[in-house]
Amino acid sequence: MTMKDFTRQITPIKNRLFRFAMRMMDNAAEAEDVVQEVLIKLWNGRGELKGVKNLEAWSIRLTRNLSVDKMRSKHAKTASLNEEFDAVSEAQNPAQFTESKDTIEQIHQLIQALPEKQRLVLQLRDIEELSYKEIMEILDLSMNQVKVNLFRGRQSLKAAILKTVDYGL
């Protein structure tokens, strides 16, 4: 694999790898380190990439494994989504802007409270829009486990949001 081929295949997924690492690490510098390590591993193993059916899923799985290794070495726990997906527009008036920011922060906290598998499956399916098959490969879960974790995560998140809306808690 030439540098041009490598760049053409890896560049489009680099930001997705960073977002995934960021969710797991909850630290931009550590997430950048993980992505850099992933890119180095992919480059060093570029000769073996021809046998990989789905390079994106392979790369995300490698990112996950390196993130888990890094967290274990620091005895850190997985964290919530970062603020890359904030849908807040600065064109709103100050009251709307503040309310939107508060709502997004509450949702981030609710997602952070989910069990790790549910949080990761939710992120990969609903945010990264990966297929069930890709999620199975990345997280090394069966199709049933992916669907169950996604369903339970969505249900837990829905219940927590409804409780917050209904009771303001």
Side-chain angles (χ1 to χ4, degrees):
M1 177 181 283
T2 66
M3 174 66 100
K4 186 177 180 179
D5 293 336
F6 182 81
T7 304
R8 184 176 40 80
Q9 291 179 349
I10 299 300
T11 301
I13 63 172
K14 187 175 68 169
N15 290 336
R16 182 174 279 183
L17 297 178
F18 174 76
R19 289 190 307 265
F20 187 74
M22 182 65 185
R23 281 172 199 65
M24 293 193 69
M25 304 301 297
D26 196 31
N27 181 307
E30 288 181 2
E32 288 174 2
D33 290 345
V34 167
V35 172
Q36 185 174 8
E37 287 178 44
V38 168
L39 295 177
I40 290 169
K41 284 184 181 266
L42 289 171
W43 175 251
N44 290 339
R46 66 189 175 275
E48 301 166 11
L49 294 179
K50 291 179 184 177
V52 175
K53 293 178 184 176
N54 187 337
L55 183 60
E56 184 175 354
W58 177 263
S59 300
I60 292 173
R61 185 172 187 164
L62 184 58
T63 302
R64 176 190 174 270
N65 292 342
L66 288 173
S67 296
V68 168
D69 290 345
K70 192 167 211 151
M71 288 185 308
R72 284 183 184 155
S73 70
K74 291 187 169 194
H75 302 293
K77 64 181 200 177
T78 56
S80 68
L81 292 173
N82 64 11
E83 297 189 17
E84 295 242 354
F85 296 100
D86 288 352
V88 176
S89 168
E90 293 185 20
Q92 297 171 330
N93 70 44
Q96 292 172 327
F97 180 78
T98 302
E99 185 177 343
S100 296
K101 289 289 277 183
D102 289 346
T103 301
I104 289 170
E105 181 57 34
Q106 287 175 340
I107 291 171
H108 286 209
Q109 290 173 0
L110 294 172
I111 291 172
Q112 184 178 9
L114 292 173
E116 179 183 13
K117 283 184 183 177
Q118 290 177 16
R119 185 172 54 245
L120 292 176
V121 171
L122 261 172
Q123 172 200 333
L124 291 172
R125 181 67 182 160
D126 294 337
I127 296 170
E128 298 297 336
E129 298 178 345
L130 296 180
S131 70
Y132 288 112
K133 186 175 180 181
E134 290 172 316
I135 296 169
M136 285 173 42
E137 293 172 9
I138 291 167
L139 299 178
D140 196 26
L141 298 173
S142 70
M143 179 66 77
N144 192 42
Q145 289 173 316
V146 170
K147 289 180 178 180
V148 166
N149 280 298
L150 182 60
F151 176 79
R152 288 180 181 167
R154 285 175 175 168
Q155 289 298 101
S156 297
L157 190 57
K158 179 181 174 182
I161 290 170
L162 288 175
K163 181 178 178 183
T164 302
V165 169
D166 290 343
Y167 301 110
L169 300 176

